Amino acid sequence: SAPPPVAASAAAPSASSGAPDFGLSLGNGPGLAVAGGGGGGSGGGSSTTRTAVRPASEPAAADDGCSEEIQRARPVELGQPEYPDAAREASIEGRVRVEVTVDDQGRVSAARVLQSLGYGCDEAALLVARSARFSPAMRCGRAVRSTLTIGIRFSL
């Protein structure tokens, strides 16, 4: 069955909440910078997308006597989204935030858009999010399910 919905305040930590960016960092900012052009299309050389991963919520603590805090899931493999032609033609830039649920094997079991950009960017972001791989969250030496928010930035 699907995981219960996450409250907006838990799914979108504010900048002052102290929630750290973590994961891969390439370029001059948090996240994963990837080429936004795809498949040899014209004019796509300078477009980029950025991916940042943040925790969305903590799984409920099990009543198993373990008091250890959860070690968050970490991205292992994040694909490179295609910058949609419609977004490029309309000069659309911004970020799509996607909430992903990572199972105890590190696979994404659910993904949904929290902050939309439109023009095909949402679909491109969901495609990348669903194919991502993570090292699972750990608690008391056991892999556990967790929920994260992935921010994928599209910029020309």
Side-chain angles (χ1 to χ4, degrees):
S1 70
V6 176
S9 62
S14 68
S16 64
S17 71
D21 281 337
F22 60 94
L24 301 172
S25 181
L26 301 173
N28 53 354
L32 171 64
V34 295
S42 64
S46 64
S47 302
T48 62
T49 57
R50 279 197 166 316
T51 304
V53 181
R54 295 179 188 260
S57 67
E58 295 289 335
D63 191 16
D64 59 4
C66 175
S67 61
E68 181 179 301
E69 288 192 29
I70 191 166
Q71 296 174 352
R72 301 186 192 283
R74 305 273 185 220
V76 172
E77 182 180 313
L78 294 171
Q80 297 183 348
E82 297 278 335
Y83 205 107
D85 290 336
R88 184 183 324 285
E89 291 169 8
S91 299
I92 298 299
E93 294 184 327
R95 177 174 46 180
V96 177
R97 291 176 45 128
V98 180
E99 179 183 82
V100 294
T101 300
V102 179
D103 68 14
D104 61 355
Q105 299 296 309
R107 294 181 301 247
V108 174
S109 60
R112 68 183 179 112
V113 173
L114 296 176
Q115 182 180 8
S116 177
L117 191 55
Y119 293 87
C121 294
D122 300 349
E123 293 79 7
L126 281 173
L127 190 64
V128 167
R130 288 182 178 129
S131 65
R133 296 275 304 166
F134 293 81
S135 61
M138 300 293 288
R139 183 170 182 271
C140 296
R142 290 187 10 208
V144 295
R145 184 182 73 135
S146 64
T147 303
L148 307 168
T149 297
I150 300 174
I152 301 173
R153 180 152 181 76
F154 293 85
S155 61
L156 294 173

